[in-house]
Amino acid sequence: MRVAVIGGGLAGLAAAYHLVRHGCAVTLWEKEPVLGGQVRTFAVGGERVEGFYHHMFASDADLIRLIDELGLGADLEWHRSRVGYFSGGRAYPFVTPLDLLRFRPLGLVDRVRVGLVSLRLQRRQEWHDLEGVSAREWLPGRTGRRGYEVIFEPLLRGKFGDYAGDISMAWLWNKFRLRLSSRGRGMQHEKLGYLKGSFYRVVEGLAGAIRDGGGNIVVGQPVVGLQVDDGRVTGVAAGGNPVPCDAVVAAIPSPAFLALAPPLPDGYRQKVESIPYLAALCLVLVLSRPLTPFYWLSMGSRSIPFVAAVEHTNLVPAERYGGRRILYISNYLSPQDELYGLGARELMERYWPHLREIYPPLDPAWVEAYHVFRERAAQPVVTTGYGARVPPLRTPVRGLYLANTSQIYPEDRGMNYSVRLGLGVGQMALEDQKGDTIG
């Protein structure tokens, strides 16, 4: 079977890897000059680090298995994480039940209510009855109005902006479940995984396995169209030439897919179009000293124009980067937002007063370098009733498959789920081809 895979992120690479291992003739096309999508890297102190922060949870079984298959398991490390929450001009530890009891922006009764709800969500297995109700509707009656406004509303607004009031409670439930999977007995600490040398080694490992299996990888070359005959995909157009194939896996965001796709039945197209995306914007500072003791510091103030400050070197030893400290300032916003179009210097100027609010001693002399990374279609917006709008992996065009983060549900986007999605769509294409052959 000849398969064209469009998109060189983890989902596309995992699909191509699976197909090659099962004897398919695969060509993977990536429009950018490098593979990896949001796992792309840059160097600090001679060591690679991702442009967007990355870590793993203990429950990331598909990614852990793949890392082992690629011979990288010995370099997968688990580090203790410290999580904080910035509220009322102060950063509070936010990991253990005792941390919550010490959280002064809430009264004691509200702290207890938030803690009990958090524990119930972490232990809850069933989520289907949550997808039709928003977090704004479900939480206040259980956490108290003050608990919702101080903790949950700022996080939802920071992540989803104007969509915050419509975000499905099922999405938030999954966040609690992930945190539980990475915490020890008694909820006293959290451990997160990181691959020594960066997660780009997974990208390299997949690419190497694809090429070793006879697959072809083309970078810097976009696919500009699909060929369809009698309701079945027959090829792709790239580099000015038609390339025949028996199946196409489009592991690209939905807007890019719709720009390539042939006419689709209204029902399927409407599903694809119905899920909006927010862009990811990450300013990365390389510092000479740490900013806080936390790996992850969420922002509980609406006046702060970013959702989190993630100090990578409070999880991974700074010695790997020549003693330099790496801070990600994370934001999710509309691609039309003014901040999205700013250069690194302008963005630094906008963020600087707020960084000083978090850590007043911060000095410009500590900043050795700064970089900005953008991803236009990064975060699908998971509003109520989302499950009914998820487009199937099989499109109405025979042999054409869509696989992107809008179809990862109820889980949120992440490396583990992209790998699982890619492996799954690859297996689906194999099974469909086998059925066609038998038929």
Side-chain angles (χ1 to χ4, degrees), residues 412-432:
D412 196 19
R413 67 191 187 97
M415 293 183 293
N416 181 69
Y417 306 116
S418 291
V419 167
R420 186 177 70 186
L421 182 70
L423 296 175
V425 76
Q427 181 61 28
M428 181 181 291
L430 287 169
E431 292 172 356
D432 289 351

Side-chain angles (χ1 to χ4, degrees), residues 146-210:
R146 181 70 178 160
Y148 173 74
E149 292 176 347
V150 170
I151 295 179
F152 296 103
E153 185 180 38
L155 297 178
L156 289 167
R157 185 164 294 279
K159 182 82 169 183
F160 292 106
D162 292 341
Y163 295 100
D166 299 320
I167 297 305
S168 170
M169 191 61 208
W171 178 87
L172 192 60
W173 162 83
N174 182 63
K175 289 297 187 184
F176 279 96
R177 186 178 63 87
L178 275 179
R179 289 296 181 189
L180 177 64
S181 74
S182 290
R183 293 190 175 182
R185 296 179 62 184
M187 307 285 288
Q188 293 304 305
H189 63 270
E190 175 183 64
K191 282 194 173 182
L192 300 175
Y194 190 74
L195 187 63
K196 188 175 181 180
S198 85
F199 286 106
Y200 199 78
R201 295 179 64 195
V202 176
V203 173
E204 292 176 326
L206 288 169
I210 292 165

Side-chain angles (χ1 to χ4, degrees), residues 5-10 12-13 16 27-41 48 199-211 216-221:
V5 176
I6 308 172
L10 281 180
L13 286 164
T27 298
L28 183 146
W29 305 85
E30 169 54 52
K31 69 176 183 176
E32 300 296 334
V34 295
L35 297 169
Q38 295 181 55
V39 191
R40 58 188 180 270
T41 60
R48 289 186 303 185
F199 286 106
Y200 199 78
R201 295 179 64 195
V202 176
V203 173
E204 292 176 326
L206 288 169
I210 292 165
R211 293 187 176 107
N216 186 31
I217 296 176
V218 182
V219 297
Q221 180 68 70

Side-chain angles (χ1 to χ4, degrees), residues 290-372:
L291 188 68
T292 77
F294 303 106
Y295 166 60
W296 189 289
L297 184 63
S298 296
M299 300 300 139
S301 170
R302 291 187 63 174
S303 66
I304 295 178
F306 46 87
V307 67
V310 182
E311 284 194 68
H312 175 73
T313 39
N314 284 343
L315 183 71
V316 177
E319 290 73 22
R320 293 193 183 160
Y321 310 98
R324 295 169 179 86
R325 304 285 176 155
I326 300 169
L327 172 68
Y328 296 93
I329 305 169
S330 174
N331 217 341
Y332 294 90
L333 34 68
S334 165
Q336 285 72 48
D337 192 291
E338 179 196 6
L339 289 176
Y340 186 73
L342 294 181
R345 177 177 289 276
E346 292 79 13
L347 198 60
M348 177 85 153
E349 291 173 354
R350 293 288 187 92
Y351 287 171
W352 190 259
H354 305 284
L355 292 172
R356 290 290 302 273
E357 181 183 353
I358 296 166
Y359 192 71
L362 179 62
D363 191 299
W366 299 358
V367 182
E368 297 186 5
Y370 48 89
H371 312 266
V372 65

Side-chain angles (χ1 to χ4, degrees), residues 5 39 60 77 106 109 114 117 124 161 165 176 185 235 273 290 330 344 388 417:
V5 176
V39 191
D60 286 348
E77 304 171 332
L106 287 180
V109 172
V114 168
V117 169
R124 182 178 179 135
F176 279 96
R185 296 179 62 184
E273 291 176 334
S330 174
Y417 306 116

Side-chain angles (χ1 to χ4, degrees), residues 80-115:
R80 184 169 294 192
S81 165
R82 290 198 70 195
V83 176
Y85 190 78
F86 189 81
S87 181
R90 176 183 166 185
Y92 293 86
F94 225 69
V95 177
T96 71
L98 187 57
D99 290 335
L100 179 58
L101 288 176
R102 292 170 174 166
F103 184 65
R104 297 301 178 189
L106 287 180
L108 180 59
V109 172
D110 286 328
R111 285 178 240 164
V112 172
R113 293 181 72 178
V114 168

Side-chain angles (χ1 to χ4, degrees), residues 3-4 6 225-228 231-236 245-252 257-258 260-264 268 392-403 407 425 428-429 432 436:
V3 184
I6 308 172
L226 302 178
Q227 296 177 317
V228 177
R232 183 178 186 93
V233 70
T234 58
V236 299
C245 60
D246 304 302
V248 173
V249 174
I252 53 179
F257 170 73
L258 290 174
L260 292 178
L264 297 166
Y268 191 86
L393 299 180
R394 289 185 183 92
T395 77
V397 178
R398 289 175 64 196
L400 175 60
Y401 305 86
L402 176 64
Q407 297 155 298
V425 76
M428 181 181 291
D432 289 351
D436 285 350

